[in-house]
Amino acid sequence: MLSNARSVQEDEFGHNGGMCDWLGDGRSARIKMGGSFTTTSERSLETHGHLFMIGDTQTHMYQILEGVVGVYKMLADGRRQIVNFYYPGDIIGWAVPGAWTQHAEALCKTRIRSIPTSTVDTLITTERGFGKALLSMLATELEETRDQLLSLGRKSALEKVATFLLRISRRNQREDNDEGLLHLPMKRAEIADYLGLTIETVSRNITILKKTGIIHLESNTVVRITDMSQLEDLADGDN
Amino acid sequence: MLSNARSVQEDEFGHNGGMCDWLGDGRSARIKMGGSFTTTSERSLETHGHLFMIGDTQTHMYQILEGVVGVYKMLADGRRQIVNFYYPGDIIGWAVPGAWTQHAEALCKTRIRSIPTSTVDTLITTERGFGKALLSMLATELEETRDQLLSLGRKSALEKVATFLLRISRRNQREDNDEGLLHLPMKRAEIADYLGLTIETVSRNITILKKTGIIHLESNTVVRITDMSQLEDLADGDN
DNA sequence: CGGGTTTTTGAATTTTATCAATGGCTGTGG
DNA sequence: CCACAGCCATTGATAAAATTCAAAAACCCG
């Protein structure tokens, strides 16, 4: 299900040997790190393992190699808002320096590469274009977060669920996977906490999409989109 | 509707003459530009004047000098989500390069300084620390947007309104203004579109805060906070 | 002062949450 | 291999919250 992310063998910590490629096309900025810094390390997390907790000092940036991580905030009484899901290739962490202001939890077995912030700092001054790539990455994430604001603030439950599914589909497209076949590694509770709904409401609305013939559930975690344009209309509030 | 965009007369495009100060303390990153680039210009907007619309090419970054700007997204049927309010000193614009993905509208008479993106590009490579200041600024904005996600996704109407007021109060604090006296230049409709509520719900909940003795309305646009700790508890979901 | 806009308030309706129960899948041990 | 336990997801009934529709009150600007 999750693509096998193998470690890339590279030369030592010199500069330009392709060790740090970045694609800054703006729309989908991504930093590809060859895994070739002396200071870079890998680690694994079990389901529900925490990558970091609120208040922890930020020592690293993280790149997901395999699995999914949910970053979330909480209220005093336990209400939770998942702020984003991170998939293989995604990077967590150019945040406001200091302590983390949210939690990050693995939603399934997950493998992660850690890059010390000091290394990142160095690269910004060392590597031409690295800083710009980070800017682009952050700008993209801000843009997606704003789309999510629109979703949470103004869309109905059904529209939210449609938007969520479409987002995964679009991601598949970018990664050259089947845009019609979605794998949802997270549970309904996590989708609910991402969409600002309850488990029951998420479930009910998935059922509606199913009965309308817009999607088909191959299993609880595998969804096939059977009417993409209707799904898009729903997500855009076109009706 | 868009009025006098007079160009500011300045010295030539030299480097370090104190022309670009930046405060990168992380928590409240801010770029202060002395208004000293040949390419920098000022312009004014009347209430409801648009700084840019979705789809417009990004040619500038903007710094608010006076007034308030609301940046928003819309759905096909007209539902609107205001993504952020920008006050004097704030900068709009390090976005994903290309076209704007949202609208920006003046919510009252507003004065703005425009900085061409080309200038920004140059500064990133020219000025040591400029890129980092931008990163810090973006990270701060992302962080605030995530807080807003928590608000929209998981807080009740009353808690949302409390959070909103508190946010303005905190801003006053940062700017060394009276943290207990809030000026709301925007209308109820705009607060509603920011909080994902209706005008009526915003109004009702302001009334509740008033009747509970947490705030006092000196006028429709001037609020005095009379019980800060209760307001904070509400905003944090402490009850 | 007056007309238009904005805000507040009220009543009815809709949407979503909550509470409660059932159904389904998975993995384990007899 | 089957039975059962534990966890999730779904479904149903009811309650709560916010929206909608409607009208009155307050405000602002000329």
Side-chain angles (χ1 to χ4, degrees):
Chain A
M1 171 152 104
L2 307 173
S3 59
N4 50 319
R6 59 227 132 68
S7 175
V8 179
Q9 212 50 351
E10 301 276 352
D11 46 47
E12 57 157 332
F13 187 58
H15 332 59
N16 27 22
M19 85 182 191
C20 165
D21 303 326
W22 57 278
L23 301 96
D25 67 280
R27 190 58 212 130
S28 68
R30 170 79 50 79
I31 294 178
K32 292 235 166 87
M33 324 202 58
S36 52
F37 309 109
T38 46
T39 43
T40 289
S41 61
E42 277 186 36
R43 87 195 242 203
S44 289
L45 287 171
E46 293 302 314
T47 309
H48 298 307
H50 271 83
L51 185 52
F52 52 79
M53 306 270 288
I54 196 166
D56 287 357
T57 312
Q58 280 180 53
T59 55
H60 295 78
M61 268 176 57
Y62 304 99
Q63 184 180 37
I64 316 298
L65 299 176
E66 209 183 310
V68 184
V69 169
V71 169
Y72 63 93
K73 287 176 170 272
M74 293 196 75
L75 290 176
D77 61 0
R79 279 174 284 174
R80 180 169 84 145
Q81 177 65 45
I82 294 185
V83 135
N84 211 351
F85 294 119
Y86 293 86
Y87 296 86
D90 291 346
I91 288 186
I92 301 178
W94 192 267
V96 180
W100 290 107
T101 52
Q102 56 266 117
H103 309 262
E105 176 189 321
L107 305 184
C108 57
K109 252 177 149 319
T110 297
R111 221 155 42 79
I112 282 150
R113 174 180 296 131
S114 310
I115 307 116
T117 36
S118 59
T119 302
V120 175
D121 268 342
T122 309
L123 281 171
I124 288 178
T125 49
T126 306
E127 293 288 326
R128 173 77 32 245
F130 186 87
K132 266 196 157 180
L134 278 180
L135 271 173
S136 192
M137 212 179 68
L138 256 184
T140 302
E141 180 143 19
L142 178 60
E143 178 56 29
E144 285 174 3
T145 307
R146 286 173 164 183
D147 279 333
Q148 185 65 0
L149 270 192
L150 175 62
S151 219
L152 295 194
R154 286 302 182 209
K155 291 185 187 175
S156 71
L158 187 60
E159 291 166 337
K160 284 179 185 180
V161 173
T163 305
F164 169 68
L165 294 178
L166 205 54
R167 188 174 157 131
I168 296 176
S169 169
R170 296 260 159 85
R171 188 190 168 80
N172 279 357
Q173 241 174 321
R174 280 206 304 281
E175 305 288 320
D176 291 319
N177 295 325
D178 184 348
E179 71 200 67
L181 191 65
L182 315 180
H183 293 264
L184 312 178
M186 67 292 286
K187 309 201 173 309
R188 296 289 183 271
E190 288 148 354
I191 298 176
D193 281 343
Y194 178 66
L195 296 178
L197 301 169
T198 59
I199 298 173
E200 295 93 328
T201 302
V202 170
S203 179
R204 278 184 241 275
N205 285 284
I206 287 178
T207 303
I208 292 174
L209 290 176
K210 210 168 54 184
K211 289 190 174 155
T212 326
I214 294 176
I215 63 172
H216 177 251
L217 287 201
E218 315 220 328
S219 85
N220 258 336
T221 59
V222 181
V223 176
R224 174 159 291 288
I225 299 177
T226 46
D227 189 339
M228 183 62 87
S229 79
Q230 241 193 298
L231 189 69
E232 285 168 342
D233 285 352
L234 260 180
D236 297 344
D238 266 358
N239 295 313
Chain B
M1 181 160 257
L2 307 177
S3 36
N4 53 319
R6 64 215 137 76
S7 177
V8 178
Q9 213 48 352
E10 300 281 348
D11 45 49
E12 58 158 330
F13 188 61
H15 331 58
N16 27 21
M19 83 184 191
C20 164
D21 304 326
W22 58 278
L23 301 95
D25 67 284
R27 189 60 212 129
S28 68
R30 169 77 50 78
I31 294 177
K32 292 236 167 88
M33 326 203 58
S36 52
F37 311 108
T38 45
T39 44
T40 289
S41 62
E42 277 187 36
R43 87 196 242 203
S44 291
L45 288 170
E46 293 303 312
T47 308
H48 296 128
H50 272 83
L51 185 53
F52 52 78
M53 306 269 289
I54 197 167
D56 287 358
T57 312
Q58 280 180 52
T59 55
H60 294 79
M61 269 175 57
Y62 304 98
Q63 184 179 38
I64 315 299
L65 299 176
E66 209 183 311
V68 183
V69 168
V71 169
Y72 63 94
K73 286 176 170 274
M74 292 198 74
L75 290 175
D77 61 359
R79 279 173 285 174
R80 179 169 87 145
Q81 178 64 46
I82 294 185
V83 135
N84 210 351
F85 295 119
Y86 293 85
Y87 296 86
D90 292 346
I91 287 186
I92 301 178
W94 193 265
V96 181
W100 289 106
T101 53
Q102 55 268 115
H103 309 261
E105 176 189 322
L107 305 184
C108 57
K109 251 177 151 318
T110 297
R111 221 154 43 81
I112 283 151
R113 173 181 296 132
S114 311
I115 307 117
T117 37
S118 58
T119 303
V120 175
D121 267 342
T122 308
L123 282 171
I124 287 177
T125 49
T126 305
E127 293 287 327
R128 173 75 36 244
F130 187 87
K132 267 196 156 179
L134 278 180
L135 271 174
S136 191
M137 211 179 70
L138 257 183
T140 302
E141 181 142 19
L142 179 60
E143 176 57 28
E144 285 173 3
T145 307
R146 286 173 162 182
D147 279 333
Q148 185 65 358
L149 270 191
L150 175 61
S151 216
L152 295 194
R154 286 301 183 210
K155 290 186 187 176
S156 72
L158 186 60
E159 291 166 339
K160 284 179 184 179
V161 173
T163 304
F164 169 69
L165 293 177
L166 205 54
R167 188 176 157 129
I168 296 175
S169 169
R170 297 260 159 83
R171 189 191 166 79
N172 279 356
Q173 240 175 321
R174 280 207 303 281
E175 304 288 322
D176 292 320
N177 295 325
D178 184 348
E179 72 200 66
L181 191 65
L182 316 180
H183 292 263
L184 312 179
M186 68 289 288
K187 308 202 173 309
R188 296 290 183 269
E190 288 149 354
I191 298 175
D193 281 343
Y194 178 67
L195 296 177
L197 300 170
T198 58
I199 299 175
E200 295 93 327
T201 303
V202 170
S203 178
R204 278 184 240 277
N205 284 284
I206 287 178
T207 303
I208 291 174
L209 291 176
K210 209 168 54 184
K211 287 190 176 156
T212 327
I214 294 176
I215 63 172
H216 178 251
L217 288 201
E218 315 221 328
S219 84
N220 257 336
T221 58
V222 182
V223 176
R224 172 158 294 286
I225 299 177
T226 44
D227 188 339
M228 182 64 85
S229 79
Q230 241 194 298
L231 190 69
E232 285 167 343
D233 286 352
L234 259 180
D236 296 344
D238 270 354
N239 297 312

